[in-house]
Amino acid sequence: MASARHGTDGVRGVDPIVDSKAEAITALMLEVAQCFFRIRALGQKTGLITSWGGGAFGFMRSLALLGPLTVPQIAQMRPTSRQRMQRLADELATEGLVEFIDNPKHRRSKLVQLTRKGAARYGELNAQLMGIASTMGVALDEADIRKTAAIVRQLSDDVKVRSERLR
């Protein structure tokens, strides 16, 4: 029960009747945050996420789906700094999973692309993730899962817009 763990029920000065939708969104955001930390821990145990917290799988997924990108482009797609993504790119390059190539649109900002080894590793990690995911949520309906993903994506977009306004 989300409200028992995270809700405002019984908090002095908070009227749960004021806006139950706001309370529901708050409960969802807190559940997503808790789920994220559990996913990150599982990802670190399975190798989907590096031990220092960088998302090697997510980085490689972006390259696999979108093709070569600059480090700043990859950083803009995530709530993280260019420096953090540069560190991850360098780590993956050291492992032979990505390589830096010339960027015809910018002399100094190289493009990052998967190597053959990186594409193979991404395929392995993706298969591993699908294997894990196939054993989760067995009592849930696929349509409900897809709707939930769309709702979380919309809330994430709203958070991004609000965050950009605060810059």
Side-chain angles (χ1 to χ4, degrees):
M1 178 181 340
S3 63
R5 285 197 309 231
H6 305 296
T8 57
D9 294 352
V11 175
R12 194 179 320 234
V14 175
D15 185 355
I17 299 173
V18 171
D19 193 343
S20 61
K21 182 178 176 183
E23 184 173 312
I25 288 173
T26 299
L28 175 60
M29 289 189 301
L30 293 169
E31 289 296 335
V32 167
Q34 183 176 33
C35 185
F36 163 77
F37 289 113
R38 289 177 177 165
I39 290 169
R40 186 174 66 180
L42 178 62
Q44 288 174 339
K45 289 178 183 175
T46 60
L48 292 168
I49 298 174
T50 61
S51 60
W52 54 270
F57 174 77
F59 191 102
M60 292 191 299
R61 182 175 188 268
S62 294
L63 298 176
L65 297 178
L66 302 173
L69 298 165
T70 65
V71 169
Q73 287 172 323
I74 296 168
Q76 286 175 346
M77 295 168 17
R78 292 164 171 67
T80 191
S81 69
R82 184 202 57 78
Q83 293 84 356
R84 188 169 179 87
M85 288 298 96
Q86 185 65 59
R87 180 177 168 194
L88 182 54
D90 292 341
E91 179 181 294
L92 293 173
T94 299
E95 295 177 28
L97 301 174
V98 301
E99 61 188 353
F100 297 97
I101 60 172
D102 288 335
N103 182 351
K105 295 180 182 177
H106 196 282
R107 287 185 188 172
R108 289 184 4 182
S109 188
K110 297 274 190 187
L111 291 169
V112 183
Q113 74 176 8
L114 288 174
T115 61
R116 281 191 200 135
K117 180 180 175 183
R121 181 68 179 137
Y122 168 74
E124 292 166 5
L125 291 172
N126 193 52
Q128 184 179 4
L129 178 60
M130 290 298 160
I132 292 168
S134 70
T135 64
M136 298 175 67
V138 292
L140 300 172
D141 181 64
E142 181 182 348
D144 290 340
I145 294 168
R146 291 189 186 281
K147 180 160 178 112
T148 301
I151 291 167
V152 170
R153 189 171 20 262
Q154 183 177 0
L155 288 172
S156 179
D157 290 346
D158 287 353
V159 170
K160 181 180 179 184
V161 168
R162 289 176 187 274
S163 179
E164 288 171 352
R165 285 186 202 149
L166 296 174
R167 285 186 190 176

